[in-house]
Amino acid sequence: MATTTILIVAAEAFPLAKTGGLGDAITGMARALDEADIAVTVLLPAYRGVRRQLQRVRVAAEFAPMPGGPARLLQGACPRSGISFLLLENDALYDRAGLYADECGAEYPDNGLRYAALAHAAVRIAQGAGGLPRPDLVHAHDWHAALVPLLLRAAGVNGVRSILTIHNLAFQGQFPVEDAAGFGIDAAWCNEDGLVAWGRLNFMKAGIRYADRVTTVSRTYAREILTPAFGCGLDGLLRARGADLLPIPNGIDPVLWNPVRDPHLGDLRFGPRDLGNKALCKAALQKAFGLAVRPDATVLAMGSRLTEQKMADVAAQVLPAALDRHPDLQVAILGQGERRFEQRLRALERAYPGRCGAHIGYDEATAHQLHAGTDLLLHGSRFEPFGLTPLYAMRYGALPIGSRVGGMADTIEDPGPRAPLSAMAGANGFLFDGDSPEAMAGAVDRALALRGQHVLWRAMQRNAMTADFSWRSAVTLYANLYRTLAGSHPAGPKLLPMPAASASLAGGSVLAPRRHAASSRPAAASL
Ligand code: ADP
Ligand code: GLC
């Protein structure tokens, strides 16, 4: 029973465009909502190569004038995800090597304009552009789409409500106030009461201020961002909107990230009841990362952006000492990010031949194989709005060592070092507090000690592999929210009929091997 139509606006959607968890979350969410018979369409920039991945593409509307120049709205369906898409096509803005940055990692100087144009397109769709059915609600994600609620108001669009979901508050989309006219933002909004913060336009602020509801992706992060330590300067505004702020934790895609069916594992698939092939995945990983092929070694993996958010600096400090303390420890690193961290991890590989392998780069298949082959995943974060990676590891029988922040505090179960050892039978990973090397090293030592306790280790692996991290509860919460907000708006047809229901994303390629959504410096944040 389709009752409400939702336009999701985002900068990423796997497999069309992904640099990190945002792309996974948008696709996982859209698919889960669709399966629950909620009509969703995703509006995405027509980045290079995206159009040809859609089927039944047609021009739905022409937009002129538009910030950044005339643009076309394309409509099509993604056969691999089954999701219906609207693409904003303007090659001058979007036909580039990376999503947010060039091949050398330099952010595009016109990112403000690129995502302002996306927000304007959303508003025109909400106004019924091209005869498309108007959505009841626009669901904007992160700073890239966060202008939408303000622009809906500025355009006087009635009957279309808005939600902003915050995936990462550290990236806010900050630009000079002088750019406002070029972004199609009237001067009346350009003050501290509107979207200006610290003397600059701030897209995230606009979204938080003007969306009908603001959500974020875990319960703990929803509390954390109300504090100065995690609020990146916007905690005051978030507290002011407290009544309209709610957590809706993400899920993980159960088809894409499933060791029983994962095509990236070839013949070496396994499940919670039969872990036999995990040993073979481990041997394959050891080989691929230049580690000695030793079944008795404990492999500890890292798979993430190499940034301060992900404590790459702390890991680079902790790992050599851990390798010295534990002769049976091996380290496999898959990551990309800041050059200084990449260099330190490469140096570690040189210093510990056969015991440490670092793949600096971005590769979707290797990420799957990493989780399948490793025993442990080290995932320190100074803040972690949700944290999909530790959940992927768990699904593949690898136990996460994470910091007690955001989504990791909610999903990793660890009774702690002071509880009796037997309590670990109910655990699924290891948590540490803060960002000190001592805390991270202590958690690594605890995990390696547990590795010798075979019965407990197996119990933890079972807990990790069978935990329900699906999108089910998120869908119920989103559905309730949509229903509440859409209120009495009449039901409408889907913007585009779905292709075959069996569509699968498995075997996806990586489109955008560059960095996480950045486009502007993280706000004046302590993190
Ligand atoms: P974030 O979105 O903050 O980076 P998440 O853990 O929520 O963190 O999501 C990260 C996503 O990016 C996961 O799908 C992970 O597999 C992927 N990823 C991160 N780094 C790499 C890499 N170097 N190669 C392939 N995939 C990566
Ligand atoms: C962001 C966050 C990450 C979260 C992802 C999806 O990139 O850093 O914690 O899992 O978005 O919501």
Side-chain angles (χ1 to χ4, degrees):
M1 170 191 62
T3 52
T4 311
T5 62
I6 311 298
L7 178 69
I8 290 177
V9 188
E12 301 190 19
F14 180 85
L16 304 179
K18 166 177 169 181
T19 69
L22 178 65
D24 287 357
I26 295 301
T27 295
M29 176 185 304
R31 270 168 43 127
L33 290 168
D34 182 60
E35 275 160 24
D37 218 1
I38 295 170
V40 290
T41 294
V42 179
L43 172 65
L44 190 75
Y47 301 114
R48 179 174 298 169
V50 167
R51 178 189 174 145
R52 65 166 183 271
Q53 294 185 62
L54 298 189
Q55 285 178 339
R56 305 199 303 273
V57 179
R58 73 174 190 95
V59 177
E62 309 260 357
F63 297 144
M66 266 284 270
R72 297 199 302 178
L73 189 68
L74 307 176
Q75 188 180 35
C78 175
R80 284 163 70 200
S81 64
I83 297 171
S84 131
F85 276 91
L86 290 168
L87 299 181
L88 182 65
E89 189 183 60
N90 175 344
D91 286 349
L93 293 184
Y94 306 122
D95 182 19
R96 302 188 185 171
L99 300 197
Y100 316 114
D102 66 18
E103 294 95 330
C104 305
E107 288 176 9
Y108 298 127
D110 59 349
N111 274 343
L113 178 62
R114 297 170 77 226
Y115 293 103
L118 185 72
H120 278 280
V123 172
R124 301 215 187 165
I125 295 163
Q127 289 169 319
L132 291 167
R134 295 176 64 200
D136 297 297
L137 205 143
V138 183
H139 189 163
H141 292 266
D142 262 356
W143 76 263
H144 321 93
L147 273 187
V148 173
L150 180 152
L151 294 177
L152 282 172
R153 286 176 194 236
V157 178
N158 289 322
V160 179
R161 317 297 296 275
S162 65
I163 297 174
L164 172 73
T165 293
I166 300 172
H167 295 261
N168 195 333
L169 191 60
F171 300 97
Q172 298 183 358
Q174 299 180 70
F175 306 98
V177 173
E178 303 75 64
D179 289 349
F183 293 174
I185 303 170
D186 194 277
W189 303 90
C190 297
N191 49 54
E192 292 281 336
D193 273 345
L195 83 161
V196 172
W198 309 291
R200 314 190 78 203
L201 302 176
N202 186 310
F203 286 19
M204 191 69 110
K205 178 177 176 182
I208 296 171
R209 192 144 170 32
Y210 297 107
D212 291 302
R213 292 286 190 285
V214 179
T215 76
T216 189
V217 290
S218 71
R219 290 180 211 292
T220 296
Y221 194 60
R223 283 193 303 272
E224 288 170 341
I225 57 178
L226 300 179
T227 68
F230 291 86
C232 301
L234 294 179
D235 45 293
L237 177 61
L238 283 160
R239 285 194 298 276
R241 295 248 26 214
D244 296 321
L245 171 68
L246 66 155
I248 302 190
N250 287 336
I252 63 173
D253 191 307
V255 176
L256 269 183
W257 294 92
N258 182 355
V260 177
R261 286 189 263 166
D262 191 335
H264 297 301
L265 307 190
D267 293 334
L268 305 183
R269 297 173 194 173
F270 60 90
R273 278 194 301 271
D274 179 10
L275 279 163
N277 276 343
K278 184 160 171 81
L280 299 178
C281 289
K282 177 164 163 176
L285 182 73
Q286 288 171 321
K287 229 167 144 187
F289 277 70
L291 307 173
V293 180
R294 281 180 46 196
D296 60 316
T298 299
V299 178
L300 176 143
M302 271 175 63
S304 71
R305 294 183 283 120
L306 300 175
T307 60
E308 283 192 20
Q309 176 189 347
K310 304 292 181 182
M311 276 196 219
D313 51 332
V314 183
Q317 206 176 327
V318 163
L319 288 174
L323 283 161
D324 290 339
R325 277 199 308 281
H326 302 282
D328 293 332
L329 175 65
Q330 296 180 338
V331 171
I333 299 160
L334 169 67
Q336 189 176 44
E338 289 182 39
R339 290 287 177 275
R340 57 193 171 127
F341 300 140
E342 294 179 356
Q343 280 160 3
R344 284 176 73 180
L345 294 170
R346 276 209 172 100
L348 194 65
E349 176 178 60
R350 286 194 297 277
Y352 293 87
R355 294 192 60 206
C356 175
H359 280 200
I360 303 302
Y362 192 101
D363 186 68
E364 191 75 19
T366 309
H368 287 245
Q369 290 149 6
L370 188 80
H371 296 309
T374 192
D375 299 301
L376 289 163
L377 176 88
L378 179 60
H379 199 87
S381 292
R382 290 189 163 91
F383 62 97
E384 195 61 81
F386 183 70
L388 291 158
T389 305
L391 303 193
Y392 296 155
M394 285 194 224
R395 199 97 206 278
Y396 286 70
L399 301 182
I401 303 170
S403 34
R404 197 188 310 275
V405 288
M408 285 199 287
D410 300 343
T411 52
I412 299 178
E413 305 279 345
D414 177 7
R418 277 190 277 286
L421 194 61
S422 57
M424 292 307 282
N428 61 17
F430 305 89
L431 284 169
F432 61 92
D433 292 285
D435 62 355
S436 70
E438 295 73 31
M440 184 187 275
V444 170
D445 289 350
R446 264 184 81 210
L448 290 172
L450 235 297
R451 182 85 178 109
Q453 306 279 334
H454 294 292
V455 175
L456 282 179
W457 188 269
R458 278 294 288 122
M460 288 179 72
Q461 269 185 318
R462 247 192 321 272
N463 298 339
M465 294 180 83
T466 54
D468 179 7
F469 294 126
S470 71
W471 278 95
R472 206 168 310 133
S473 21
V475 163
T476 307
L477 293 169
Y478 280 124
N480 288 341
L481 180 60
Y482 293 159
R483 238 191 322 271
T484 310
L485 281 178
S488 58
H489 299 318
K494 286 187 179 187
L495 294 179
L496 189 78
M498 292 292 115
S502 62
S504 161
L505 281 168
S509 64
V510 183
L511 294 176
R514 283 311 320 168
R515 301 175 175 212
H516 183 67
S519 177
S520 68
R521 302 267 79 79
S526 54
L527 294 166

